[in-house]
Amino acid sequence: MPWGLKRYYGTGNLHFITWSCYRRWPLLDNPARRDLLLAALELMRVRYRFAVIGYVVMPEHVHLLISEPLIGDPSKIVQAAKLSVSRRLAISGEFSGRFWQSRFYDFNLWSPQKEVEKLNYMHRNPVARGLVASPEDWRWSSYRSYAYGEPGLVRVNDWTWWLEKIQRRAG
């Protein structure tokens, strides 16, 4: 975690999370690896019960905008997703060694304006980097879910777990 950055969990705020491949090498530079990461993220979404608001997988890093999970905390989610990808790549013999940087960046969103800002930033990232001409051309982001209602590899804006929690409390 960067020096002086504090993580605030239990606030009910959204979290903008970024983590990188080891030494920012483009280890996610092929579609199969990006798909593997998104499959792991979807598994974690279900396991830890959180909403994914947005995401983008770039060749050397990942951006994720999520709710707080009902089980665990955002640190557990990042750790589990990283571990899942690393293990699967190691078992398949596709990669050995360090795949991820040890730490990650977590920024609490305190306003709806920040949510829009971060979503726009994520969705424009592949265009800004020259990977595609338009956000809809990068299939490893939540852009197409917003623009066209397409279901990606990760379910976006599914608040089912929170509704169940509210209903249980209401009795």
Side-chain angles (χ1 to χ4, degrees), residues 86-142:
S86 297
R87 280 189 177 159
R88 290 180 191 193
L89 290 173
I91 289 168
S92 70
E94 187 180 333
F95 189 86
S96 63
R98 288 190 64 183
F99 196 88
W100 302 109
Q101 284 293 115
S102 302
R103 301 189 178 263
F104 69 96
Y105 176 80
D106 181 359
F107 176 84
N108 287 71
L109 274 63
W110 306 104
S111 71
Q113 293 82 8
K114 276 290 181 192
E115 180 180 344
V116 171
E117 175 188 312
K118 295 301 184 187
L119 277 171
N120 286 336
Y121 173 78
M122 285 188 293
H123 293 155
R124 291 180 184 147
N125 205 331
V127 176
R129 291 278 306 284
L131 298 172
V132 291
S134 181
E136 62 262 17
D137 297 333
W138 190 253
R139 71 179 192 98
W140 301 276
S141 87
S142 54

Coordinates of all heavy atoms in Angstrom, one line a residue, residues 86-142:
S86 N -3.0 -16.9 -10.2 CA -1.7 -17.5 -10.2 C -1.6 -19.0 -10.1 O -0.9 -19.6 -10.8 CB -1.0 -16.9 -8.9 OG -0.8 -15.5 -9.0
R87 N -2.5 -19.5 -9.3 CA -2.6 -21.0 -9.1 C -3.0 -21.7 -10.4 O -2.4 -22.7 -10.8 CB -3.5 -21.4 -8.0 CG -2.9 -21.3 -6.7 CD -3.8 -21.9 -5.6 NE -3.2 -21.8 -4.3 CZ -3.8 -21.9 -3.2 NH1 -5.1 -22.1 -3.2 NH2 -3.1 -21.8 -2.1
R88 N -4.0 -21.1 -11.1 CA -4.5 -21.7 -12.3 C -3.4 -21.7 -13.4 O -3.2 -22.7 -14.2 CB -5.8 -21.1 -12.8 CG -6.9 -21.4 -11.9 CD -8.2 -20.7 -12.4 NE -9.2 -20.9 -11.4 CZ -10.5 -20.6 -11.7 NH1 -10.9 -20.2 -12.9 NH2 -11.4 -20.7 -10.7
L89 N -2.7 -20.6 -13.5 CA -1.6 -20.5 -14.5 C -0.5 -21.4 -14.1 O 0.1 -22.1 -15.0 CB -1.1 -19.1 -14.6 CG -2.1 -18.1 -15.2 CD1 -1.6 -16.6 -15.1 CD2 -2.4 -18.4 -16.7
A90 N -0.2 -21.6 -12.9 CA 0.9 -22.5 -12.4 C 0.5 -23.9 -12.7 O 1.3 -24.7 -13.2 CB 1.2 -22.3 -11.0
I91 N -0.7 -24.3 -12.4 CA -1.2 -25.7 -12.6 C -1.2 -26.1 -14.0 O -0.8 -27.2 -14.4 CB -2.6 -25.9 -11.9 CG1 -2.5 -25.9 -10.4 CG2 -3.2 -27.2 -12.4 CD1 -3.8 -25.8 -9.7
S92 N -1.6 -25.1 -14.9 CA -1.6 -25.4 -16.3 C -0.2 -25.4 -16.9 O 0.0 -25.7 -18.1 CB -2.5 -24.4 -17.0 OG -1.8 -23.1 -17.0
G93 N 0.8 -25.0 -16.1 CA 2.2 -24.9 -16.7 C 2.4 -23.7 -17.5 O 3.4 -23.6 -18.2
E94 N 1.4 -22.7 -17.5 CA 1.6 -21.6 -18.4 C 2.5 -20.5 -17.9 O 3.0 -19.7 -18.6 CB 0.2 -21.0 -18.7 CG 0.2 -19.9 -19.7 CD -1.2 -19.3 -20.0 OE1 -2.2 -20.0 -19.8 OE2 -1.2 -18.1 -20.4
F95 N 2.6 -20.5 -16.5 CA 3.4 -19.4 -15.9 C 3.9 -19.9 -14.6 O 3.2 -20.6 -13.8 CB 2.6 -18.1 -15.7 CG 3.4 -17.0 -15.3 CD1 4.0 -16.2 -16.2 CD2 3.6 -16.7 -13.9 CE1 4.8 -15.1 -15.8 CE2 4.4 -15.6 -13.5 CZ 5.0 -14.8 -14.5
S96 N 5.2 -19.6 -14.3 CA 5.7 -19.8 -12.9 C 6.5 -18.6 -12.5 O 7.0 -17.8 -13.3 CB 6.6 -21.1 -12.9 OG 7.8 -20.8 -13.8
G97 N 6.6 -18.4 -11.2 CA 7.2 -17.2 -10.7 C 6.2 -16.2 -10.2 O 5.0 -16.5 -10.1
R98 N 6.6 -15.0 -9.9 CA 5.7 -14.0 -9.4 C 4.9 -13.4 -10.6 O 5.4 -12.9 -11.5 CB 6.5 -12.9 -8.7 CG 7.1 -13.3 -7.4 CD 7.6 -12.2 -6.6 NE 6.6 -11.3 -6.2 CZ 6.9 -10.2 -5.5 NH1 8.1 -9.9 -5.2 NH2 5.9 -9.3 -5.2
F99 N 3.6 -13.4 -10.4 CA 2.7 -12.8 -11.4 C 2.2 -11.4 -11.0 O 2.0 -10.6 -11.8 CB 1.5 -13.8 -11.6 CG 0.7 -13.5 -12.8 CD1 1.1 -14.1 -14.0 CD2 -0.4 -12.6 -12.8 CE1 0.4 -13.8 -15.2 CE2 -1.1 -12.4 -14.0 CZ -0.7 -13.0 -15.2
W100 N 2.0 -11.2 -9.7 CA 1.4 -10.0 -9.2 C 2.4 -9.2 -8.3 O 3.1 -9.8 -7.5 CB 0.1 -10.3 -8.3 CG -0.9 -11.0 -9.1 CD1 -1.3 -12.3 -8.9 CD2 -1.7 -10.5 -10.1 NE1 -2.3 -12.7 -9.7 CE2 -2.6 -11.6 -10.5 CE3 -1.9 -9.3 -10.8 CZ2 -3.5 -11.5 -11.5 CZ3 -2.8 -9.2 -11.8 CH2 -3.6 -10.2 -12.1
Q101 N 2.2 -7.9 -8.3 CA 2.8 -7.0 -7.3 C 2.1 -7.4 -5.9 O 1.0 -7.8 -5.9 CB 2.6 -5.5 -7.6 CG 3.4 -5.0 -8.7 CD 4.9 -4.9 -8.3 OE1 5.7 -5.6 -8.9 NE2 5.3 -4.1 -7.3
S102 N 2.9 -7.2 -4.8 CA 2.3 -7.6 -3.5 C 1.2 -6.8 -3.1 O 0.2 -7.3 -2.5 CB 3.4 -7.5 -2.5 OG 4.5 -8.3 -2.8
R103 N 1.2 -5.5 -3.3 CA 0.2 -4.6 -2.8 C -0.8 -4.2 -3.8 O -0.7 -4.5 -5.0 CB 0.9 -3.4 -2.2 CG 1.9 -3.8 -1.1 CD 2.4 -2.6 -0.4 NE 3.3 -3.0 0.7 CZ 3.0 -3.1 1.9 NH1 1.8 -2.9 2.3 NH2 3.9 -3.5 2.8
F104 N -1.8 -3.4 -3.3 CA -2.8 -2.9 -4.2 C -3.2 -1.5 -3.7 O -3.0 -1.2 -2.5 CB -4.0 -3.8 -4.4 CG -4.9 -3.9 -3.1 CD1 -6.0 -3.2 -3.0 CD2 -4.5 -4.8 -2.1 CE1 -6.8 -3.3 -1.8 CE2 -5.3 -5.0 -1.0 CZ -6.4 -4.2 -0.8
Y105 N -3.9 -0.7 -4.5 CA -4.3 0.6 -4.2 C -5.9 0.5 -4.0 O -6.6 -0.1 -4.8 CB -4.0 1.6 -5.3 CG -4.5 3.0 -5.1 CD1 -3.8 3.8 -4.2 CD2 -5.6 3.4 -5.8 CE1 -4.3 5.1 -4.1 CE2 -6.1 4.7 -5.6 CZ -5.4 5.6 -4.8 OH -5.9 6.8 -4.6
D106 N -6.4 1.1 -2.9 CA -7.8 1.1 -2.6 C -8.2 2.5 -2.2 O -7.7 3.1 -1.3 CB -8.1 0.2 -1.5 CG -9.6 0.1 -1.1 OD1 -10.4 0.8 -1.7 OD2 -9.9 -0.7 -0.2
F107 N -9.1 3.1 -3.0 CA -9.6 4.5 -2.8 C -11.1 4.4 -2.5 O -11.9 3.9 -3.3 CB -9.3 5.3 -4.1 CG -9.8 6.7 -4.1 CD1 -9.1 7.7 -3.5 CD2 -11.0 7.0 -4.7 CE1 -9.6 9.0 -3.5 CE2 -11.5 8.3 -4.7 CZ -10.8 9.3 -4.1
N108 N -11.6 4.9 -1.4 CA -13.0 5.0 -1.1 C -13.6 6.1 -1.9 O -13.1 7.2 -1.9 CB -13.2 5.3 0.4 CG -12.9 4.1 1.3 OD1 -11.7 3.7 1.4 ND2 -13.9 3.5 1.8
L109 N -14.8 5.8 -2.4 CA -15.5 6.8 -3.2 C -16.6 7.4 -2.2 O -17.4 6.7 -1.7 CB -16.2 6.2 -4.4 CG -15.4 6.2 -5.6 CD1 -14.2 5.3 -5.5 CD2 -16.2 5.7 -6.8
W110 N -16.5 8.7 -2.0 CA -17.3 9.4 -1.1 C -18.5 10.1 -1.7 O -19.4 10.7 -1.0 CB -16.5 10.4 -0.3 CG -15.3 9.8 0.4 CD1 -14.0 10.0 -0.1 CD2 -15.3 9.0 1.5 NE1 -13.2 9.3 0.8 CE2 -13.9 8.7 1.8 CE3 -16.2 8.5 2.4 CZ2 -13.5 7.9 2.8 CZ3 -15.8 7.7 3.5 CH2 -14.5 7.4 3.7
S111 N -18.6 10.1 -3.1 CA -19.7 10.8 -3.7 C -20.1 10.1 -5.1 O -19.2 9.5 -5.7 CB -19.3 12.3 -4.0 OG -18.3 12.3 -5.1
P112 N -21.3 10.4 -5.5 CA -21.7 9.8 -6.8 C -20.9 10.4 -8.0 O -20.6 9.7 -9.0 CB -23.2 10.3 -7.0 CG -23.6 10.5 -5.6 CD -22.4 11.0 -4.8
Q113 N -20.4 11.6 -7.8 CA -19.5 12.2 -8.9 C -18.2 11.4 -9.0 O -17.8 11.3 -10.1 CB -19.2 13.7 -8.5 CG -20.4 14.6 -8.6 CD -21.3 14.6 -7.3 OE1 -20.9 14.0 -6.3 NE2 -22.4 15.2 -7.3
K114 N -17.7 11.0 -7.9 CA -16.4 10.2 -8.0 C -16.7 8.9 -8.7 O -15.8 8.3 -9.4 CB -15.8 10.0 -6.6 CG -15.0 11.1 -6.1 CD -13.7 11.1 -6.9 CE -12.8 12.2 -6.4 NZ -11.7 12.5 -7.3
E115 N -17.9 8.3 -8.4 CA -18.2 7.0 -9.1 C -18.2 7.2 -10.6 O -17.6 6.4 -11.3 CB -19.6 6.6 -8.6 CG -20.1 5.2 -9.2 CD -21.4 4.8 -8.7 OE1 -21.9 5.3 -7.7 OE2 -22.0 3.9 -9.3
V116 N -18.9 8.2 -11.1 CA -18.9 8.5 -12.5 C -17.5 8.8 -13.0 O -17.1 8.2 -14.1 CB -19.9 9.7 -12.8 CG1 -19.7 10.1 -14.3 CG2 -21.3 9.3 -12.5
E117 N -16.7 9.5 -12.3 CA -15.4 9.8 -12.7 C -14.5 8.6 -12.9 O -13.8 8.4 -13.8 CB -14.7 10.8 -11.7 CG -13.3 11.1 -11.9 CD -12.6 11.8 -10.7 OE1 -13.3 12.8 -10.3 OE2 -11.6 11.4 -10.2
K118 N -14.6 7.7 -11.9 CA -13.8 6.4 -11.9 C -14.3 5.5 -13.0 O -13.5 4.9 -13.7 CB -13.8 5.7 -10.6 CG -13.2 6.5 -9.5 CD -11.7 6.8 -9.8 CE -11.0 7.5 -8.6 NZ -9.7 8.0 -9.0
L119 N -15.6 5.4 -13.2 CA -16.1 4.6 -14.3 C -15.7 5.1 -15.7 O -15.2 4.3 -16.5 CB -17.7 4.5 -14.3 CG -18.3 3.5 -13.3 CD1 -19.8 3.8 -13.3 CD2 -18.0 2.1 -13.8
N120 N -15.7 6.4 -15.9 CA -15.3 7.0 -17.1 C -13.8 6.7 -17.3 O -13.3 6.4 -18.4 CB -15.6 8.5 -17.2 CG -17.0 8.8 -17.4 OD1 -17.7 8.0 -18.0 ND2 -17.5 9.9 -17.0
Y121 N -13.0 6.9 -16.2 CA -11.6 6.7 -16.3 C -11.3 5.2 -16.7 O -10.5 5.0 -17.6 CB -10.9 7.0 -14.9 CG -9.5 6.6 -14.9 CD1 -8.5 7.4 -15.5 CD2 -9.1 5.4 -14.3 CE1 -7.2 7.0 -15.4 CE2 -7.7 5.0 -14.2 CZ -6.8 5.9 -14.8 OH -5.5 5.5 -14.8
M122 N -11.9 4.3 -16.1 CA -11.7 2.8 -16.4 C -12.1 2.6 -17.8 O -11.3 1.9 -18.6 CB -12.5 1.9 -15.5 CG -12.0 1.8 -14.1 SD -12.9 0.6 -13.1 CE -14.5 1.3 -13.0
H123 N -13.2 3.0 -18.3 CA -13.7 2.7 -19.6 C -12.9 3.3 -20.7 O -12.8 2.8 -21.8 CB -15.2 3.0 -19.7 CG -16.1 2.2 -18.8 ND1 -17.3 2.6 -18.4 CD2 -15.9 0.9 -18.3 CE1 -17.8 1.6 -17.7 NE2 -17.0 0.6 -17.6
R124 N -12.3 4.5 -20.4 CA -11.5 5.2 -21.4 C -10.0 4.7 -21.4 O -9.3 5.1 -22.3 CB -11.6 6.7 -21.1 CG -12.9 7.3 -21.4 CD -13.0 8.7 -21.2 NE -14.3 9.2 -21.4 CZ -14.8 10.2 -20.7 NH1 -14.1 10.9 -19.8 NH2 -16.0 10.6 -21.0
N125 N -9.6 4.0 -20.4 CA -8.2 3.6 -20.2 C -7.7 2.8 -21.4 O -6.6 3.2 -21.9 CB -8.1 2.7 -18.9 CG -6.7 2.8 -18.3 OD1 -5.7 2.9 -19.0 ND2 -6.6 2.6 -17.1
P126 N -8.4 1.9 -22.0 CA -7.8 1.2 -23.2 C -7.7 2.1 -24.4 O -6.8 1.9 -25.2 CB -8.9 0.1 -23.5 CG -9.6 -0.1 -22.2 CD -9.6 1.2 -21.5
V127 N -8.6 3.1 -24.5 CA -8.5 4.0 -25.6 C -7.3 5.0 -25.4 O -6.5 5.2 -26.3 CB -9.8 4.9 -25.7 CG1 -9.6 5.9 -26.8 CG2 -11.0 3.9 -26.0
A128 N -7.1 5.5 -24.2 CA -6.0 6.4 -23.8 C -4.7 5.7 -24.1 O -3.7 6.3 -24.5 CB -6.1 6.8 -22.4
R129 N -4.6 4.4 -23.8 CA -3.4 3.6 -24.0 C -3.2 3.2 -25.5 O -2.2 2.6 -25.8 CB -3.4 2.4 -23.1 CG -3.3 2.7 -21.7 CD -1.9 2.9 -21.2 NE -1.0 1.8 -21.6 CZ -1.0 0.6 -21.0 NH1 -1.7 0.4 -19.9 NH2 -0.2 -0.3 -21.4
G130 N -4.1 3.5 -26.4 CA -4.0 3.1 -27.8 C -4.2 1.6 -28.1 O -3.8 1.1 -29.1
L131 N -4.9 0.9 -27.1 CA -5.2 -0.5 -27.4 C -6.4 -0.7 -28.3 O -6.4 -1.7 -29.0 CB -5.5 -1.2 -26.0 CG -4.3 -1.2 -25.1 CD1 -4.7 -1.7 -23.7 CD2 -3.1 -2.0 -25.6
V132 N -7.3 0.3 -28.3 CA -8.5 0.2 -29.2 C -8.9 1.7 -29.5 O -8.4 2.6 -28.9 CB -9.7 -0.5 -28.5 CG1 -9.5 -1.9 -28.3 CG2 -10.0 0.2 -27.1
A133 N -9.7 1.8 -30.5 CA -10.1 3.1 -31.0 C -11.3 3.7 -30.1 O -11.5 4.9 -30.0 CB -10.5 3.1 -32.5
S134 N -12.1 2.7 -29.6 CA -13.3 3.1 -28.9 C -13.5 2.2 -27.7 O -13.2 1.0 -27.8 CB -14.5 3.0 -29.8 OG -15.7 3.4 -29.2
P135 N -14.1 2.7 -26.6 CA -14.3 1.8 -25.4 C -15.0 0.5 -25.6 O -14.7 -0.5 -25.0 CB -15.0 2.7 -24.4 CG -14.8 4.1 -24.8 CD -14.6 4.0 -26.3
E136 N -16.0 0.5 -26.6 CA -16.7 -0.7 -26.8 C -15.9 -1.8 -27.5 O -16.3 -2.9 -27.5 CB -18.0 -0.4 -27.6 CG -17.8 0.1 -29.0 CD -17.9 1.6 -29.0 OE1 -17.9 2.3 -28.0 OE2 -18.1 2.2 -30.2
D137 N -14.8 -1.4 -28.0 CA -13.9 -2.4 -28.7 C -13.1 -3.2 -27.7 O -12.5 -4.2 -28.1 CB -13.0 -1.7 -29.7 CG -13.7 -1.0 -30.8 OD1 -14.9 -1.5 -31.1 OD2 -13.2 -0.1 -31.3
W138 N -13.0 -2.8 -26.4 CA -12.2 -3.5 -25.4 C -13.2 -4.4 -24.6 O -13.9 -3.9 -23.8 CB -11.5 -2.6 -24.5 CG -10.5 -3.2 -23.6 CD1 -10.6 -3.4 -22.3 CD2 -9.2 -3.7 -24.0 NE1 -9.5 -4.0 -21.8 CE2 -8.6 -4.3 -22.8 CE3 -8.5 -3.9 -25.2 CZ2 -7.4 -4.9 -22.8 CZ3 -7.3 -4.5 -25.2 CH2 -6.7 -5.0 -24.0
R139 N -13.1 -5.7 -24.8 CA -14.1 -6.5 -24.2 C -13.8 -6.9 -22.7 O -14.6 -7.6 -22.1 CB -14.5 -7.8 -25.0 CG -13.4 -8.8 -25.1 CD -13.9 -10.0 -26.0 NE -13.0 -11.1 -25.9 CZ -13.3 -12.1 -25.0 NH1 -14.4 -12.2 -24.4 NH2 -12.4 -13.1 -24.9
W140 N -12.7 -6.4 -22.2 CA -12.3 -6.8 -20.8 C -12.6 -5.6 -19.9 O -11.8 -5.2 -19.1 CB -10.9 -7.2 -20.8 CG -10.7 -8.4 -21.6 CD1 -10.9 -9.7 -21.3 CD2 -10.3 -8.4 -23.0 NE1 -10.7 -10.5 -22.3 CE2 -10.3 -9.8 -23.4 CE3 -9.9 -7.5 -23.9 CZ2 -9.9 -10.2 -24.7 CZ3 -9.6 -7.9 -25.2 CH2 -9.6 -9.2 -25.6
S141 N -13.8 -5.0 -20.1 CA -14.2 -3.9 -19.3 C -15.7 -4.0 -19.1 O -16.4 -4.7 -19.9 CB -13.8 -2.5 -19.8 OG -14.7 -2.0 -20.7
S142 N -16.3 -3.2 -18.2 CA -17.7 -3.2 -18.0 C -18.4 -2.2 -18.9 O -19.6 -2.1 -18.9 CB -18.0 -2.8 -16.5 OG -17.4 -1.6 -16.2

